[in-house]
Amino acid sequence: MLVLAIDTATPEVVTGVVEVTDDVGPVVRSERRELTTRGHAEILTTRILECLAEAGIARRELDAVVVGQGPGPFTGLRVGLATGAAFGDALGIGVHGVCSLDAIALQEPDVRSLLVVTDARRREVYWARFVDGVRTHGPDVLAPGELADHLAGESIDAVAGSPGHTALFGLPARGASAPTAASLVQVALPNLVASVVPGPLTPLYLRRPDAVELKDRKK
């Protein structure tokens, strides 16, 4: 099974082609990861085509798409979801949405209790807590100080995610800062191997978009 992986929930745009085999599991055939704060729309399709070319895969050979549903800022996240949905519709294949924070946490399997935070702008973070790889809290959005109070008394061994925000919590910081092509597919793997028909993509914006029409601002 050949899977196109996409994530635009963080400033690191992630694309890749991953092959899922019965005996080995997900194997990355190609991957692109590029930091950009507002250039998701400009680079995403180009990076996808580069990944397909490097993997020697034609678009019609893809069997599924996995796309990060966030949480993430409105504009960037929408680009990834729309592109993933367009590929799925054009090729007649399923598009599986996964929580982007789950794909970050999956990269730190040796941490029993893990906090994952990413940049939500407005001096806030998107966050989730994981115990033994299972999400127990979140995803949600809070200011770092409020999150620290919210988690007071909880046992947390380490924090992963945006480097500029992991340092705010006084916890050992891990290296996973964004999803990878492999971790996105790994989160979706049970549904992929079971040939589950995915439901509609639901973006995890967690709040209203920054840009609204004037009539909505008055409300």
Side-chain angles (χ1 to χ4, degrees), residues 88-133:
D89 184 62
L91 299 171
I93 57 179
V95 183
H96 298 259
V98 299
C99 176
S100 302
L101 301 182
D102 292 358
I104 296 175
L106 198 65
Q107 299 170 59
E108 304 292 351
D110 58 330
V111 180
R112 182 179 184 277
S113 180
L114 178 70
L115 175 65
V116 176
V117 295
T118 59
D119 186 9
R121 302 175 183 170
R122 301 184 190 176
R123 299 182 180 180
E124 293 179 325
V125 293
Y126 298 117
W127 69 276
R129 183 194 175 208
F130 299 81
V131 176
D132 293 328

Side-chain angles (χ1 to χ4, degrees), residues 15-217:
T15 59
V17 175
V18 180
E19 184 175 4
V20 176
T21 61
D22 293 334
D23 52 344
V24 179
V27 176
V28 177
R29 296 279 296 271
S30 61
E31 184 176 32
R32 294 289 186 277
R33 304 177 65 176
E34 183 170 342
L35 287 172
T36 178
T37 55
R38 299 185 184 278
H40 299 68
E42 288 77 7
I43 69 173
L44 182 58
T45 300
T46 299
R47 298 298 174 265
I48 290 172
L49 297 178
E50 289 174 355
C51 286
L52 291 169
E54 181 180 316
I57 300 297
R59 277 174 278 189
R60 64 179 180 276
E61 296 179 83
L62 292 170
D63 299 295
V65 179
V66 173
V67 59
Q69 297 178 117
F74 182 83
T75 303
L77 184 57
R78 182 176 58 181
V79 168
L81 291 170
T83 303
F87 267 82
D89 184 62
L91 299 171
I93 57 179
V95 183
H96 298 259
V98 299
C99 176
S100 302
L101 301 182
D102 292 358
I104 296 175
L106 198 65
Q107 299 170 59
E108 304 292 351
D110 58 330
V111 180
R112 182 179 184 277
S113 180
L114 178 70
L115 175 65
V116 176
V117 295
T118 59
D119 186 9
R121 302 175 183 170
R122 301 184 190 176
R123 299 182 180 180
E124 293 179 325
V125 293
Y126 298 117
W127 69 276
R129 183 194 175 208
F130 299 81
V131 176
D132 293 328
V134 177
R135 177 159 32 97
T136 61
H137 298 73
D140 205 343
V141 58
L142 281 173
E146 293 177 312
L147 177 55
D149 292 340
H150 181 72
L151 295 175
E154 300 282 355
S155 175
I156 300 177
D157 300 317
V159 59
S162 304
H165 299 87
T166 56
L168 301 175
F169 295 92
L171 294 166
R174 305 296 294 222
S177 60
T180 65
S183 67
L184 288 163
V185 173
Q186 189 71 45
V187 174
L189 193 60
N191 287 340
L192 290 170
V193 298
S195 299
V196 171
V197 178
L201 289 175
T202 304
L204 297 172
Y205 294 131
L206 302 188
R207 65 186 181 203
R208 292 173 61 84
D210 292 330
V212 296
E213 294 184 18
L214 289 175
K215 63 181 180 180
D216 294 325
R217 291 182 189 174

